[in-house]
Coordinates of all heavy atoms in Angstrom, one line a residue:
M1020 N 32.3 24.5 -11.8 CA 33.0 23.3 -11.1 C 32.1 22.6 -10.1 O 32.2 21.5 -9.8 CB 34.3 23.7 -10.5 CG 35.4 24.2 -11.5 SD 35.4 23.1 -13.0 CE 35.9 24.2 -14.2
A1021 N 31.2 23.5 -9.6 CA 30.2 23.0 -8.6 C 29.3 22.0 -9.3 O 28.9 20.9 -8.7 CB 29.4 24.1 -8.0
V1022 N 29.0 22.2 -10.6 CA 28.2 21.3 -11.3 C 28.9 20.0 -11.6 O 28.3 18.8 -11.4 CB 27.7 21.9 -12.7 CG1 27.1 20.8 -13.6 CG2 27.0 23.1 -12.6
N1023 N 30.1 20.0 -11.9 CA 30.9 18.7 -12.1 C 31.0 18.0 -10.7 O 30.8 16.7 -10.8 CB 32.4 19.0 -12.4 CG 32.4 19.6 -13.9 OD1 31.5 19.5 -14.6 ND2 33.6 20.0 -14.4
R1024 N 31.1 18.6 -9.6 CA 31.1 18.0 -8.3 C 29.7 17.3 -8.0 O 29.6 16.3 -7.5 CB 31.5 18.9 -7.2 CG 31.7 18.3 -5.9 CD 32.2 19.2 -4.8 NE 31.7 20.6 -4.9 CZ 32.3 21.7 -4.6 NH1 33.4 21.5 -4.0 NH2 31.8 22.9 -4.7
F1025 N 28.7 18.1 -8.4 CA 27.3 17.6 -8.1 C 27.1 16.4 -9.1 O 26.4 15.3 -8.6 CB 26.3 18.7 -8.5 CG 24.8 18.1 -8.5 CD1 24.2 18.0 -7.3 CD2 24.2 17.9 -9.7 CE1 22.9 17.5 -7.3 CE2 22.8 17.5 -9.7 CZ 22.2 17.3 -8.4
L1026 N 27.4 16.4 -10.3 CA 27.3 15.4 -11.2 C 28.2 14.2 -11.0 O 27.9 13.0 -11.4 CB 27.3 15.7 -12.7 CG 26.3 16.7 -13.1 CD1 26.5 17.2 -14.6 CD2 24.9 16.1 -13.1
G1027 N 29.3 14.4 -10.4 CA 30.3 13.3 -10.2 C 31.3 13.1 -11.3 O 32.2 12.3 -11.3
D1028 N 31.2 14.0 -12.4 CA 32.0 13.9 -13.5 C 31.7 15.1 -14.4 O 30.9 16.0 -14.1 CB 31.7 12.7 -14.4 CG 33.0 12.1 -15.1 OD1 34.0 12.9 -15.3 OD2 32.8 11.0 -15.5
T1029 N 32.4 15.3 -15.5 CA 32.1 16.5 -16.4 C 30.7 16.3 -17.0 O 30.1 15.2 -16.9 CB 33.1 16.5 -17.5 OG1 33.0 15.4 -18.4 CG2 34.5 16.7 -17.0
V1030 N 30.2 17.4 -17.4 CA 28.8 17.4 -18.1 C 28.7 16.5 -19.2 O 27.8 15.6 -19.4 CB 28.3 18.9 -18.4 CG1 27.0 18.9 -19.0 CG2 28.3 19.7 -17.1
A1031 N 29.7 16.6 -20.0 CA 29.7 15.8 -21.3 C 29.7 14.2 -21.0 O 29.0 13.5 -21.6 CB 30.9 16.2 -22.3
R1032 N 30.6 13.9 -20.1 CA 30.8 12.5 -19.8 C 29.5 12.0 -19.1 O 29.0 10.9 -19.3 CB 32.0 12.3 -18.9 CG 33.3 12.4 -19.7 CD 34.4 12.2 -18.8 NE 34.4 10.7 -18.3 CZ 35.3 10.0 -18.1 NH1 36.6 10.4 -18.3 NH2 35.2 8.8 -17.7
T1033 N 28.9 12.8 -18.3 CA 27.7 12.4 -17.5 C 26.6 12.2 -18.6 O 25.8 11.3 -18.5 CB 27.2 13.4 -16.5 OG1 28.3 13.6 -15.5 CG2 26.0 13.1 -15.8
I1034 N 26.4 13.1 -19.5 CA 25.4 12.9 -20.5 C 25.6 11.7 -21.4 O 24.6 10.9 -21.6 CB 25.4 14.1 -21.5 CG1 24.8 15.4 -20.8 CG2 24.5 14.0 -22.8 CD1 24.8 16.7 -21.5
I1035 N 26.9 11.4 -21.8 CA 27.2 10.1 -22.5 C 26.8 8.9 -21.7 O 26.2 7.9 -22.2 CB 28.7 10.2 -23.0 CG1 28.9 11.2 -24.0 CG2 29.0 8.7 -23.5 CD1 30.3 11.4 -24.3
K1036 N 27.1 8.9 -20.4 CA 26.7 7.8 -19.5 C 25.3 7.6 -19.4 O 24.8 6.4 -19.5 CB 27.3 8.0 -18.1 CG 28.8 7.8 -17.9 CD 29.4 8.2 -16.6 CE 30.8 8.1 -16.5 NZ 31.2 8.6 -15.1
L1037 N 24.6 8.7 -19.3 CA 23.1 8.6 -19.2 C 22.6 8.1 -20.5 O 21.6 7.3 -20.5 CB 22.5 9.9 -18.8 CG 22.7 10.4 -17.4 CD1 22.2 11.8 -17.2 CD2 22.0 9.4 -16.4
I1038 N 23.1 8.5 -21.7 CA 22.6 7.9 -23.0 C 22.8 6.5 -23.1 O 21.8 5.7 -23.4 CB 23.3 8.7 -24.1 CG1 22.7 10.1 -24.2 CG2 23.0 8.0 -25.4 CD1 23.5 11.0 -25.2
V1039 N 24.0 6.0 -22.7 CA 24.3 4.6 -22.9 C 23.4 3.8 -21.8 O 22.8 2.8 -22.3 CB 25.8 4.3 -22.5 CG1 26.1 2.8 -22.4 CG2 26.7 5.0 -23.6
V1040 N 23.3 4.1 -20.6 CA 22.4 3.4 -19.7 C 21.0 3.6 -20.1 O 20.2 2.5 -20.1 CB 22.7 4.0 -18.3 CG1 21.5 3.5 -17.3 CG2 24.0 3.8 -17.7
S1041 N 20.5 4.6 -20.7 CA 19.1 4.8 -21.2 C 18.9 3.8 -22.3 O 17.9 3.0 -22.3 CB 18.9 6.1 -21.7 OG 18.9 7.0 -20.5
I1042 N 19.9 3.6 -23.2 CA 19.7 2.6 -24.3 C 19.7 1.2 -23.8 O 18.8 0.5 -24.2 CB 20.8 2.8 -25.4 CG1 20.7 4.2 -26.1 CG2 20.8 1.7 -26.4 CD1 21.9 4.5 -27.0
L1043 N 20.4 0.9 -22.8 CA 20.5 -0.5 -22.3 C 19.3 -0.8 -21.5 O 18.7 -1.8 -21.7 CB 21.7 -0.7 -21.4 CG 23.1 -0.7 -22.1 CD1 24.1 -0.6 -21.0 CD2 23.3 -1.8 -23.0
V1044 N 18.7 0.2 -20.8 CA 17.5 -0.1 -20.1 C 16.3 -0.2 -21.0 O 15.5 -1.1 -20.9 CB 17.3 1.0 -19.0 CG1 15.9 1.0 -18.4 CG2 18.3 0.9 -17.9
G1045 N 16.3 0.7 -22.1 CA 15.3 0.6 -23.0 C 15.2 -0.7 -23.9 O 14.1 -1.2 -24.0
M1046 N 16.5 -1.2 -24.2 CA 16.5 -2.5 -24.8 C 16.1 -3.7 -23.8 O 15.2 -4.5 -24.3 CB 18.0 -2.9 -25.2 CG 18.5 -2.1 -26.4 SD 20.2 -2.3 -26.6 CE 20.3 -4.1 -26.7
A1047 N 16.4 -3.5 -22.6 CA 15.9 -4.6 -21.7 C 14.4 -4.5 -21.5 O 13.7 -5.6 -21.4 CB 16.7 -4.5 -20.4
M1048 N 13.8 -3.3 -21.4 CA 12.4 -3.2 -21.3 C 11.7 -3.6 -22.5 O 10.6 -4.3 -22.3 CB 12.1 -1.7 -21.0 CG 12.5 -1.3 -19.6 SD 12.1 0.5 -19.3 CE 10.3 0.5 -19.3
N1049 N 12.2 -3.4 -23.7 CA 11.6 -3.9 -24.9 C 11.6 -5.4 -25.0 O 10.7 -6.0 -25.4 CB 12.4 -3.3 -26.1 CG 11.7 -3.6 -27.3 OD1 10.4 -3.6 -27.4 ND2 12.4 -3.8 -28.4
V1050 N 12.7 -6.1 -24.5 CA 12.8 -7.4 -24.5 C 11.7 -8.1 -23.6 O 11.0 -9.0 -24.1 CB 14.2 -8.1 -24.1 CG1 14.2 -9.5 -23.7 CG2 15.3 -7.7 -25.1
F1051 N 11.4 -7.5 -22.5 CA 10.4 -8.0 -21.7 C 9.1 -7.4 -21.9 O 8.1 -7.7 -21.1 CB 10.8 -7.7 -20.1 CG 12.0 -8.4 -19.6 CD1 13.2 -7.8 -19.5 CD2 11.9 -9.8 -19.5 CE1 14.4 -8.5 -19.0 CE2 13.1 -10.5 -19.1 CZ 14.2 -9.8 -18.9
G1052 N 8.9 -6.6 -22.8 CA 7.7 -6.0 -23.3 C 7.1 -5.1 -22.2 O 5.9 -5.0 -22.2
L1053 N 8.0 -4.4 -21.7 CA 7.5 -3.3 -20.6 C 7.6 -1.9 -21.3 O 8.6 -1.6 -22.0 CB 8.4 -3.3 -19.4 CG 8.5 -4.6 -18.6 CD1 9.5 -4.5 -17.5 CD2 7.1 -4.8 -18.1
Y1054 N 6.6 -1.1 -20.9 CA 6.6 0.3 -21.5 C 6.3 1.1 -20.3 O 5.7 0.8 -19.3 CB 5.6 0.4 -22.6 CG 5.8 -0.5 -23.8 CD1 5.3 -1.7 -23.8 CD2 6.7 0.0 -24.7 CE1 5.6 -2.5 -25.0 CE2 7.0 -0.8 -25.8 CZ 6.4 -2.0 -25.9 OH 6.7 -2.8 -27.0
P1055 N 6.8 2.5 -20.3 CA 6.6 3.3 -19.2 C 5.2 3.4 -18.7 O 4.9 3.5 -17.4 CB 7.3 4.7 -19.7 CG 8.2 4.3 -20.8 CD 7.6 3.0 -21.3
L1056 N 4.2 3.6 -19.6 CA 2.9 3.6 -19.1 C 2.5 2.3 -18.4 O 1.6 2.4 -17.5 CB 2.0 4.1 -20.3 CG 2.0 5.5 -20.7 CD1 1.1 5.7 -21.9 CD2 1.6 6.3 -19.5
D1057 N 2.9 1.2 -19.0 CA 2.6 0.0 -18.3 C 2.9 -0.1 -16.8 O 2.3 -0.6 -16.0 CB 3.2 -1.2 -19.0 CG 2.5 -1.4 -20.4 OD1 1.4 -0.9 -20.7 OD2 3.2 -2.1 -21.2
I1058 N 4.2 0.5 -16.5 CA 4.7 0.5 -15.2 C 3.9 1.4 -14.5 O 3.6 1.1 -13.2 CB 6.1 0.9 -15.3 CG1 7.1 -0.2 -16.0 CG2 6.7 1.1 -13.8 CD1 8.5 0.2 -16.2
F1059 N 3.6 2.5 -15.0 CA 2.7 3.5 -14.2 C 1.3 3.0 -14.0 O 0.8 3.0 -12.8 CB 2.5 4.8 -15.0 CG 1.5 5.7 -14.5 CD1 1.8 6.5 -13.4 CD2 0.2 5.8 -15.1 CE1 0.8 7.4 -12.9 CE2 -0.7 6.7 -14.6 CZ -0.4 7.4 -13.4
Y1060 N 0.7 2.2 -14.9 CA -0.6 1.7 -14.6 C -0.6 0.5 -13.7 O -1.5 0.2 -12.9 CB -1.2 1.2 -16.0 CG -1.6 2.4 -16.9 CD1 -1.3 2.3 -18.3 CD2 -2.3 3.4 -16.4 CE1 -1.8 3.3 -19.1 CE2 -2.6 4.5 -17.2 CZ -2.3 4.4 -18.5 OH -2.7 5.4 -19.4
A1061 N 0.5 -0.3 -13.7 CA 0.7 -1.3 -12.7 C 0.8 -0.7 -11.4 O 0.2 -1.3 -10.4 CB 1.9 -2.2 -13.1
F1062 N 1.5 0.3 -11.2 CA 1.7 0.9 -9.8 C 0.3 1.5 -9.3 O -0.1 1.2 -8.3 CB 2.7 2.1 -9.9 CG 2.8 2.6 -8.6 CD1 3.5 2.0 -7.6 CD2 2.4 4.0 -8.4 CE1 3.6 2.7 -6.3 CE2 2.6 4.7 -7.2 CZ 3.2 3.9 -6.2
R1063 N -0.4 2.1 -10.4 CA -1.7 2.6 -10.0 C -2.7 1.5 -9.6 O -3.4 1.6 -8.6 CB -2.3 3.5 -11.2 CG -3.6 4.1 -10.8 CD -4.2 4.6 -12.1 NE -4.7 3.4 -12.8 CZ -5.2 3.4 -13.9 NH1 -5.8 4.4 -14.4 NH2 -5.5 2.1 -14.5
D1064 N -2.7 0.5 -10.4 CA -3.6 -0.6 -10.1 C -3.2 -1.3 -8.8 O -4.2 -1.8 -8.0 CB -3.5 -1.7 -11.2 CG -4.0 -1.2 -12.5 OD1 -4.9 -0.2 -12.5 OD2 -3.8 -1.8 -13.5
F1065 N -2.0 -1.4 -8.4 CA -1.5 -2.0 -7.1 C -2.1 -1.1 -6.0 O -2.7 -1.6 -5.0 CB 0.0 -1.9 -7.1 CG 0.6 -2.3 -5.7 CD1 0.5 -3.7 -5.3 CD2 1.1 -1.3 -4.9 CE1 1.0 -3.8 -4.0 CE2 1.6 -1.7 -3.6 CZ 1.5 -3.0 -3.1
I1066 N -2.0 0.2 -6.1 CA -2.5 1.1 -5.1 C -4.0 1.0 -4.9 O -4.5 0.9 -3.8 CB -2.1 2.6 -5.4 CG1 -0.6 2.7 -5.3 CG2 -2.7 3.6 -4.4 CD1 0.1 2.3 -4.0
V1067 N -4.7 0.9 -6.1 CA -6.2 0.8 -6.1 C -6.5 -0.5 -5.5 O -7.4 -0.5 -4.6 CB -6.8 1.0 -7.5 CG1 -8.2 0.7 -7.5 CG2 -6.6 2.4 -8.0
N1068 N -5.9 -1.6 -5.8 CA -6.3 -2.9 -5.3 C -6.0 -2.9 -3.8 O -6.7 -3.5 -3.0 CB -5.5 -4.0 -6.0 CG -6.1 -4.3 -7.3 OD1 -7.3 -4.0 -7.6 ND2 -5.3 -4.8 -8.3
L1069 N -4.9 -2.4 -3.4 CA -4.5 -2.3 -2.0 C -5.6 -1.5 -1.2 O -6.1 -2.0 -0.2 CB -3.2 -1.7 -1.8 CG -2.6 -1.6 -0.4 CD1 -2.4 -3.0 0.1 CD2 -1.3 -0.8 -0.3
W1070 N -6.0 -0.4 -1.7 CA -7.1 0.4 -1.1 C -8.4 -0.4 -0.9 O -9.0 -0.5 0.0 CB -7.4 1.7 -1.9 CG -8.4 2.5 -1.4 CD1 -9.6 2.6 -1.8 CD2 -8.2 3.5 -0.3 NE1 -10.4 3.5 -1.1 CE2 -9.4 4.2 -0.2 CE3 -7.2 3.9 0.3 CZ2 -9.6 5.1 0.8 CZ3 -7.3 5.0 1.3 CH2 -8.6 5.5 1.5
E1071 N -8.8 -1.0 -2.1 CA -10.0 -1.9 -2.1 C -9.9 -3.0 -1.1 O -10.9 -3.3 -0.4 CB -10.4 -2.2 -3.4 CG -10.8 -1.1 -4.4 CD -11.0 -1.6 -5.8 OE1 -10.7 -2.6 -6.2 OE2 -11.5 -0.7 -6.6
K1072 N -8.9 -3.8 -1.2 CA -8.7 -4.9 -0.4 C -8.7 -4.5 1.1 O -9.1 -5.2 2.0 CB -7.5 -5.7 -0.7 CG -7.4 -6.1 -2.1 CD -8.5 -7.3 -2.3 CE -8.3 -7.8 -3.7 NZ -9.4 -8.4 -4.2
G1073 N -8.0 -3.3 1.4 CA -8.0 -2.8 2.8 C -9.3 -2.6 3.3 O -9.7 -2.9 4.5
W1074 N -10.2 -1.9 2.6 CA -11.6 -1.6 3.0 C -12.3 -3.0 3.1 O -13.2 -3.1 4.1 CB -12.3 -0.7 2.1 CG -11.8 0.7 2.2 CD1 -11.1 1.4 1.2 CD2 -11.8 1.5 3.3 NE1 -10.9 2.6 1.8 CE2 -11.2 2.7 3.0 CE3 -12.4 1.3 4.7 CZ2 -11.1 3.8 4.0 CZ3 -12.2 2.4 5.6 CH2 -11.7 3.6 5.1
A1075 N -12.1 -3.9 2.3 CA -12.7 -5.3 2.4 C -12.4 -5.9 3.6 O -13.1 -6.5 4.4 CB -12.4 -6.1 1.2
A1076 N -11.0 -5.8 4.0 CA -10.6 -6.4 5.3 C -11.2 -5.8 6.5 O -11.6 -6.4 7.5 CB -9.0 -6.3 5.4
L1077 N -11.4 -4.4 6.3 CA -12.1 -3.7 7.5 C -13.5 -4.1 7.5 O -14.1 -4.2 8.6 CB -11.9 -2.1 7.3 CG -10.6 -1.6 7.6 CD1 -10.6 -0.1 7.4 CD2 -10.1 -2.0 9.0
G1078 N -14.2 -4.4 6.4 CA -15.5 -4.9 6.4 C -15.6 -6.2 7.1 O -16.5 -6.5 7.8
R1079 N -14.7 -7.2 6.8 CA -14.7 -8.5 7.5 C -14.5 -8.3 9.0 O -15.1 -8.9 9.8 CB -13.6 -9.4 6.9 CG -13.9 -10.0 5.6 CD -13.0 -11.0 5.2 NE -11.6 -10.5 5.1 CZ -11.1 -10.2 4.0 NH1 -11.7 -10.0 2.9 NH2 -9.8 -9.8 4.1
F1080 N -13.6 -7.3 9.3 CA -13.3 -7.0 10.7 C -14.6 -6.6 11.4 O -15.0 -6.9 12.4 CB -12.2 -5.9 10.8 CG -11.9 -5.6 12.3 CD1 -11.2 -6.4 13.0 CD2 -12.4 -4.4 12.8 CE1 -10.9 -6.1 14.4 CE2 -12.1 -4.1 14.1 CZ -11.4 -4.9 14.9
G1081 N -15.3 -5.8 10.7 CA -16.7 -5.2 11.2 C -17.6 -6.3 11.3 O -18.4 -6.3 12.4
D1082 N -17.7 -7.2 10.5 CA -18.4 -8.4 10.6 C -18.2 -9.2 11.8 O -19.1 -9.7 12.5 CB -18.5 -9.3 9.3 CG -19.1 -8.6 8.0 OD1 -19.9 -7.7 8.2 OD2 -18.7 -9.2 7.0
W1083 N -16.9 -9.5 12.0 CA -16.5 -10.3 13.2 C -16.9 -9.5 14.5 O -17.4 -10.0 15.5 CB -15.0 -10.4 13.2 CG -14.5 -11.3 12.1 CD1 -15.2 -12.1 11.3 CD2 -13.1 -11.3 11.6 NE1 -14.3 -12.7 10.3 CE2 -13.1 -12.2 10.5 CE3 -12.0 -10.6 11.9 CZ2 -11.9 -12.5 9.7 CZ3 -10.8 -11.0 11.2 CH2 -10.9 -11.9 10.2
L1084 N -16.7 -8.2 14.4 CA -17.1 -7.4 15.5 C -18.6 -7.4 15.9 O -18.9 -7.6 17.1 CB -16.7 -5.9 15.4 CG -17.1 -4.9 16.4 CD1 -16.3 -5.2 17.7 CD2 -16.8 -3.4 15.9
I1085 N -19.4 -7.4 14.9 CA -20.8 -7.5 15.1 C -21.3 -8.9 15.7 O -22.0 -9.0 16.5 CB -21.6 -7.1 13.9 CG1 -21.5 -5.6 13.6 CG2 -23.0 -7.4 14.0 CD1 -21.9 -5.1 12.3
L1086 N -20.6 -9.9 15.0 CA -20.9 -11.3 15.4 C -20.6 -11.5 16.8 O -21.3 -12.1 17.7 CB -20.3 -12.3 14.5 CG -20.9 -12.5 13.2 CD1 -19.9 -13.4 12.3 CD2 -22.3 -13.1 13.2
G1087 N -19.4 -11.0 17.3 CA -19.0 -11.2 18.6 C -19.7 -10.4 19.6 O -20.1 -10.8 20.7
A1088 N -20.1 -9.2 19.1 CA -20.9 -8.3 20.1 C -22.2 -8.9 20.3 O -22.9 -8.7 21.4 CB -20.9 -7.0 19.5
M1089 N -22.8 -9.7 19.4 CA -24.1 -10.3 19.6 C -24.0 -11.3 20.8 O -25.1 -11.5 21.4 CB -24.6 -11.0 18.3 CG -24.9 -10.0 17.2 SD -25.4 -10.7 15.7 CE -26.8 -11.7 16.1
V1090 N -23.0 -11.9 21.1 CA -22.7 -12.8 22.2 C -22.3 -12.0 23.4 O -22.9 -12.2 24.5 CB -21.9 -13.9 21.9 CG1 -21.6 -14.8 23.0 CG2 -22.5 -14.8 20.7
V1091 N -21.2 -11.2 23.2 CA -20.6 -10.6 24.4 C -21.3 -9.6 25.1 O -21.5 -9.6 26.4 CB -19.2 -10.0 23.8 CG1 -18.5 -9.2 25.0 CG2 -18.2 -11.2 23.3
V1092 N -22.0 -8.7 24.4 CA -22.8 -7.6 25.0 C -23.9 -8.1 25.8 O -24.1 -7.7 27.0 CB -23.3 -6.6 24.0 CG1 -24.2 -5.6 24.6 CG2 -22.0 -5.9 23.3
P1093 N -24.7 -9.1 25.4 CA -25.9 -9.6 26.3 C -25.3 -10.3 27.5 O -25.8 -10.2 28.6 CB -26.6 -10.6 25.4 CG -26.4 -10.1 24.0 CD -25.0 -9.6 24.0
V1094 N -24.2 -11.1 27.3 CA -23.6 -11.7 28.5 C -23.1 -10.6 29.5 O -23.3 -10.9 30.7 CB -22.5 -12.7 28.0 CG1 -21.7 -13.3 29.2 CG2 -23.1 -13.9 27.2
F1095 N -22.4 -9.7 28.9 CA -21.9 -8.7 29.8 C -23.1 -7.9 30.6 O -22.9 -7.7 31.8 CB -21.1 -7.5 28.9 CG -20.7 -6.4 29.7 CD1 -19.6 -6.3 30.6 CD2 -21.4 -5.1 29.5 CE1 -19.3 -5.2 31.3 CE2 -21.1 -4.0 30.2 CZ -20.0 -4.0 31.1
L1096 N -24.1 -7.5 29.9 CA -25.2 -6.9 30.6 C -26.0 -7.9 31.6 O -26.3 -7.4 32.7 CB -26.2 -6.5 29.5 CG -25.9 -5.3 28.6 CD1 -26.9 -5.1 27.4 CD2 -25.6 -4.1 29.4
L1097 N -26.0 -9.1 31.3 CA -26.6 -10.0 32.2 C -25.7 -10.1 33.5 O -26.2 -10.1 34.6 CB -26.7 -11.4 31.5 CG -27.4 -12.5 32.4 CD1 -28.8 -12.2 32.7 CD2 -27.3 -13.9 31.7
L1098 N -24.5 -10.3 33.2 CA -23.4 -10.4 34.4 C -23.5 -9.1 35.2 O -23.5 -9.0 36.5 CB -22.1 -10.6 34.0 CG -21.8 -12.0 33.4 CD1 -20.4 -12.2 32.9 CD2 -22.0 -13.1 34.5
R1099 N -23.6 -8.0 34.6 CA -23.8 -6.5 35.4 C -24.9 -6.5 36.1 O -25.0 -6.1 37.3 CB -23.6 -5.5 34.4 CG -22.3 -5.3 33.7 CD -21.1 -5.1 34.6 NE -21.3 -3.9 35.2 CZ -20.5 -3.5 36.2 NH1 -19.5 -4.3 36.8 NH2 -20.6 -2.3 36.8
I1100 N -26.0 -7.0 35.6 CA -27.4 -7.0 36.2 C -27.3 -8.0 37.5 O -27.8 -7.6 38.5 CB -28.5 -7.3 35.3 CG1 -28.8 -6.3 34.3 CG2 -29.8 -7.6 36.1 CD1 -29.6 -6.5 33.2
L1101 N -26.8 -9.1 37.2 CA -26.6 -10.1 38.3 C -25.8 -9.5 39.4 O -26.0 -9.8 40.7 CB -26.2 -11.5 37.9 CG -27.3 -12.2 36.9 CD1 -26.6 -13.4 36.4 CD2 -28.5 -12.5 37.7
N1102 N -24.7 -9.0 39.1 CA -23.8 -8.3 40.2 C -24.4 -7.1 40.8 O -24.2 -6.9 41.9 CB -22.5 -8.0 39.5 CG -21.6 -9.2 39.2 OD1 -21.7 -10.3 39.8 ND2 -20.6 -9.0 38.3
Y1103 N -25.3 -6.4 40.1 CA -25.9 -5.3 40.7 C -26.8 -5.7 41.7 O -27.0 -5.0 42.8 CB -26.7 -4.4 39.6 CG -27.2 -3.2 40.1 CD1 -26.6 -2.1 40.5 CD2 -28.7 -3.2 40.3 CE1 -27.1 -0.9 40.9 CE2 -29.4 -2.1 40.7 CZ -28.5 -1.0 41.0 OH -29.2 0.2 41.4
R1104 N -27.6 -6.8 41.6 CA -28.5 -7.2 42.6 C -27.8 -7.6 43.9 O -28.4 -7.6 44.9 CB -29.3 -8.4 42.1 CG -30.3 -8.0 41.0 CD -31.2 -9.1 40.7 NE -32.2 -8.7 39.7 CZ -33.1 -9.5 39.2 NH1 -33.0 -10.8 39.5 NH2 -33.9 -9.1 38.4
R1105 N -26.6 -8.1 43.8 CA -25.9 -8.5 45.0 C -25.4 -7.4 45.7 O -25.2 -7.5 47.0 CB -24.6 -9.4 44.5 CG -24.9 -10.8 44.1 CD -23.7 -11.6 43.7 NE -23.9 -12.7 43.0 CZ -23.1 -13.5 42.4 NH1 -21.8 -13.2 42.5 NH2 -23.5 -14.5 41.7
N1106 N -25.0 -6.3 45.1 CA -24.5 -5.1 45.8 C -25.6 -4.3 46.5 O -26.5 -4.1 46.9 CB -23.7 -4.2 45.0 CG -22.4 -4.9 44.5 OD1 -21.9 -5.9 45.2 ND2 -22.0 -4.6 43.4

């Protein structure tokens, strides 16, 4: 009876429900031309593209950092040297 409580119904009725829903989902996937491996590959490709685009974004961030540092660091050093002479 613990199994029935876990499943929410008797074992036989749960199996029948799962079969009916599986057939309906299988029909819908067939209509849209989806297959389980296609879904897996799409998910995998999404993760790979996200990983690659993420590193590309960090690369652009690094470019911006270097470009900005080429102006900011010399100005900072110049200001520190000028302030050091006053003290």
Side-chain angles (χ1 to χ4, degrees):
M1020 298 314 150
V1022 173
N1023 290 349
R1024 186 173 36 206
F1025 174 74
L1026 295 175
D1028 209 346
T1029 64
V1030 175
R1032 287 181 64 145
T1033 302
I1034 290 172
I1035 291 170
K1036 288 177 186 178
L1037 288 173
I1038 290 171
V1039 169
V1040 171
S1041 294
I1042 290 171
L1043 293 174
V1044 169
M1046 287 172 53
M1048 288 178 66
N1049 189 38
V1050 166
F1051 292 111
L1053 297 173
Y1054 297 96
L1056 281 179
D1057 292 340
I1058 296 171
F1059 172 75
Y1060 291 138
F1062 179 74
R1063 185 198 61 176
D1064 292 342
F1065 171 75
I1066 297 299
V1067 168
N1068 286 335
L1069 183 64
W1070 179 265
E1071 289 173 352
K1072 300 292 184 202
W1074 287 115
L1077 288 178
R1079 284 192 303 267
F1080 180 76
D1082 291 342
W1083 297 340
L1084 176 67
I1085 292 170
L1086 286 172
M1089 289 175 65
V1090 173
V1091 171
V1092 171
V1094 170
F1095 171 77
L1096 291 174
L1097 181 64
L1098 290 174
R1099 294 300 292 171
I1100 290 170
L1101 293 175
N1102 284 337
Y1103 180 73
R1104 286 188 176 175
R1105 288 185 195 170
N1106 294 335

